[in-house]
Amino acid sequence: MRLTFTIQRFNPEVDSIPHPEEIRLDVGRGMTVLDALIRIKQECDGSLALRYSCRSAICGSCAMTINGSEKLACRTSLRKELERHGRIMVAPLRNLPVIKDLVVDMASFWEKIHDVHPWLVAAVRPARAPVPTLTEAGDHLNPQFHNVDACIMCGACVAACTVHEVSKGFVGPAALAKADRFLSDPRESTSVTRARLSSLQDENGMWDCTRCNFCVEVCPKDVKPMEAIIRLRRASLERGLTKTGGARHILGFTDLVEQQGRLNEAIMPLKVVGFAPRDLMRILPLGIKMFFKGKIPNPLGHAIPGLRNLQALIRRARRITPPA
Ligand code: SF4
Ligand code: SF4
Ligand code: FES
């Protein structure tokens, strides 16, 4: 079958902006998008730039945008893409600088991974005492580190992240998942764990995630970075790291629901920003807009009927929530 591929091309030496280019190729059964791109490079246009190595969904280097979403080209079937989209459009990973054609600059990705110290900082122990093996340390409780170890550093989650799209400083789903992996390692001391969590409290850290779930959807290895971020947040709250707006939002929300049985938008901002005049002035315009749109309920409104039952449920949930 002869197929038309639309490939986003960009050569920094001659192009000012990227542009789509159509290339036709005879394809066979069972081919992946990567198979086709390699054939295009070999048979149609040797100047096409792309990255690949293992061709087996192991090295993570062939991540790109295929028909609008982030995928590994080596494990994306041409036939399935055609069935689903009726076309094959290929572009580089989004929200990362393009070096040439389908090759992006991953420097910022690696810097962020490096910044979370992706190595084991073992607890201080007497000289010559051996580092415990994972089994000795109790890995049977957590043998897969929630599958975070499966990450192949392909960058697909970062390219798809809606926060990274607007805020390039955001540490991002891959680095946060990596931080969570060490949080789950029983060989790290409690002080190291606390230091790890503390370093991720600031702007661009764990609380900036909007829980859009795109990182989970695109991850080819089922790492579920967003769930890792939720574990980091829970662990922070359990260790009393509650100064950030995100942490205060969660605690305020829970307080209100426990007291009144529902969210009260009139009180919620005070729970998040407190009574500091400067912060209150910052949110005042939003409050005025909400007021005129009828979105601010009576701050002294009554609790919902059956509040006691709800409070009993919350207490029960707290008792059975597993540790992060
Ligand atoms: S869930 Fe959070 S980290 Fe994941 S893509 Fe959305 S904003 Fe980014
Ligand atoms: S978490 Fe998934 S999508 Fe993100 S870099 Fe790792 S393997 Fe790729
Ligand atoms: S070529 Fe290695 S993951 Fe695709």
Side-chain angles (χ1 to χ4, degrees):
M1 178 176 50
R2 198 156 176 80
L3 204 63
T4 301
F5 291 79
T6 307
I7 302 175
Q8 183 172 304
R9 304 296 302 268
F10 176 66
N11 179 352
E13 287 171 8
V14 291
D15 300 326
S16 53
I17 52 167
H19 60 277
E21 187 176 296
E22 292 197 344
I23 298 180
R24 289 177 67 74
L25 181 77
D26 286 323
V27 297
R29 290 165 72 90
M31 279 178 72
T32 64
V33 172
L34 182 63
D35 294 334
L37 290 172
I38 292 171
R39 288 247 327 265
I40 287 171
K41 186 172 172 67
Q42 289 170 345
E43 299 170 20
C44 310
D45 185 349
S47 71
L48 176 67
L50 71 153
R51 266 196 200 115
Y52 65 94
S53 178
C54 69
R55 306 191 195 188
S56 311
I58 294 170
C59 72
S61 57
C62 70
M64 55 186 75
T65 312
I66 300 171
N67 285 328
S69 68
E70 289 70 16
K71 293 183 179 132
L72 294 180
C74 68
R75 69 166 225 179
T76 303
S77 147
L78 271 183
R79 182 180 59 81
K80 284 190 183 156
E81 284 298 309
L82 267 181
E83 280 172 6
R84 199 167 303 149
H85 301 277
R87 57 168 198 207
I88 303 289
M89 294 182 77
V90 185
L93 285 180
R94 291 177 289 182
N95 303 314
L96 288 165
V98 179
I99 297 175
K100 186 168 188 275
D101 296 334
L102 303 174
V103 177
V104 292
D105 185 350
M106 298 283 283
S108 63
F109 174 89
W110 292 115
E111 269 167 35
K112 288 169 185 174
I113 297 286
H114 181 267
D115 285 351
V116 300
H117 298 160
W119 52 81
L120 179 72
V121 184
V124 178
R125 61 180 59 77
R128 285 200 266 165
V131 175
T133 64
L134 269 176
T135 308
E136 286 164 353
D139 68 318
H140 56 284
L141 296 174
N142 208 345
Q144 295 292 320
F145 297 109
H146 305 284
N147 202 38
V148 170
D149 267 0
C151 175
I152 55 172
M153 301 286 156
C154 67
C157 56
V158 171
C161 175
T162 48
V163 173
H164 179 249
E165 183 180 357
V166 294
S167 174
K168 295 291 181 284
F170 176 45
V171 64
L176 287 169
K178 185 56 90 178
D180 171 68
R181 178 252 179 263
F182 290 97
L183 184 73
S184 310
D185 195 314
R187 294 169 296 178
E188 283 209 340
S189 69
T190 49
S191 60
V192 172
T193 302
R194 192 180 168 83
R196 276 193 192 281
L197 292 169
S198 299
S199 68
L200 294 169
Q201 299 297 308
D202 298 336
E203 197 183 343
N204 292 323
M206 68 172 85
W207 296 100
D208 279 24
C209 164
T210 56
R211 299 181 62 180
C212 68
N213 204 47
F214 282 126
C215 54
V216 178
E217 280 176 25
V218 301
C219 177
K221 291 291 174 181
D222 203 27
V223 168
K224 299 191 176 77
M226 190 186 78
E227 291 182 13
I229 294 168
I230 292 169
R231 285 192 295 274
L232 288 170
R233 288 177 173 182
R234 190 185 301 146
S236 300
L237 295 177
E238 284 169 356
R239 285 161 181 80
L241 297 168
T242 56
K243 291 220 168 75
T244 55
R248 288 201 301 262
H249 188 272
I250 287 183
L251 295 174
F253 194 105
T254 318
D255 273 0
L256 280 172
V257 171
E258 199 167 2
Q259 287 159 15
Q260 300 188 353
R262 63 180 158 217
L263 173 66
N264 188 324
E265 288 90 344
I267 301 177
M268 191 64 196
L270 299 177
K271 295 263 185 194
V272 177
V273 303
F275 290 92
R278 222 177 72 185
D279 291 336
L280 283 175
M281 289 307 288
R282 193 165 46 82
I283 60 166
L284 188 64
L286 176 65
I288 292 171
K289 255 194 221 166
M290 286 174 67
F291 178 78
F292 282 113
K293 288 191 183 289
K295 296 282 183 190
I296 297 202
N298 177 1
L300 307 173
H302 295 298
I304 60 163
L307 179 63
R308 277 165 178 269
N309 295 337
L310 176 66
Q311 289 169 334
L313 277 174
I314 292 173
R315 279 197 299 275
R316 189 175 162 79
R318 282 207 180 106
R319 279 202 299 275
I320 61 175
T321 302

